[in-house]
Amino acid sequence: MLIQSLHKNLHLGFALLSPVAGSAGIAIADVAIGACVTQHAISHTYLAGDMQSLCGMSSSIGALLGFSLSGFFVHLVGAKGVFGLLAIPASLVVLVGILLRESQVRNFAYRRVKEKIVDASKVMWTTLKCRDVWRPCLYIYLSLALGLHIHEGMFYWYTDAKEGPSFSQEVVGSIFSVGAVGSLFGVLLYQNFLKNHPFRDILFWAQLLHGVSGLLDLVLVLRINLKLGMPDYFFVVVDEAVSRMIGRIKWMPFLVLSSKLFPSGIEGTFFALIMSIDQIGLLSSAWSGGLVLHMLNVTRTQFDNLWIAIVIRSPLRLIPIGFLFLMPRSDPNLSILPSEMLRTKRGNDVLEPENIEMATLVNSI
């Protein structure tokens, strides 16, 4: 981020490589924290929802701060200046890594690294073949892939002076910050009222509301809100807050369930695998959304068929309801994996929670 900010004539290839490297670093840190959460979710299953709510709340607060300040900083220091400011959160992640308490591993058998990798791969394959693991993973992918991401088209419509409401950068940033508040409210709703309900029940209503809420964009694009006397900014703010709240409520059961699918000893590796499935689902949604916008000839300045894309997106969001049978009906506070998968043993190595080389996220329970 600093190089992008300070270099005046940066090569296009390096300009594209820099955010990729930054995203990879964030993903590694995310996997490490996810492994910590998973480790405690296995040993304290009744706290899995609380820990994921804490993570979701922290993420929403960070998004609130970022979106609130983004438009202001872009206006104040420009886009390149914002790239430089983005180096600060990265350094804070490094600081968190230094401050986390970690157990020292003595007499580590480096010569057995290859054997341990093979052993972990076998455990992963055995876990993936488990019916209670691959079915939720398939549902998570379908739920994300069928979302049809058309955010780019909506963003350009927001800022268009001719057909759209002509929002400025600061206004768009404030809209997204309100969305972060909606996301935070969704976390609080899940933590206080929904965390003890079965996964299927929560996902049914969340997926249904997710599909219906998409029609709010249709009301906005067709300018029906103006005919009803509702200003664009007010309607967009309500739309963003409601959509983010429903999206967070839909996402929280995925996180809680995912934390119960990891066998002991390979939490980080398996968490990375599950997150890669999530990212493939999001990429599928983005690619299909971009393809639909391209076929409908929706560009940065042409929005005549944007409403058709919204109409196509809404029923697609409802299709995952037909695949809810893939999700477990078990108590969300109980373990899902068989007990033999929660304890992995190899020779004289016993991978218990206190011996895993991971920092403790919850010190006293």
Side-chain angles (χ1 to χ4, degrees), residues 114-130:
K114 181 178 179 180
E115 182 182 355
K116 291 178 180 292
I117 292 176
V118 173
D119 187 44
S121 300
K122 292 180 179 178
V123 174
M124 286 182 60
W125 177 244
T126 302
T127 306
L128 281 174
K129 290 191 297 183
C130 179

Side-chain angles (χ1 to χ4, degrees), residues 5 70 73-74 77-87:
S5 175
S70 59
F73 281 127
V74 169
V77 299
K80 296 189 69 174
V82 171
F83 282 135
L85 293 175
L86 287 176

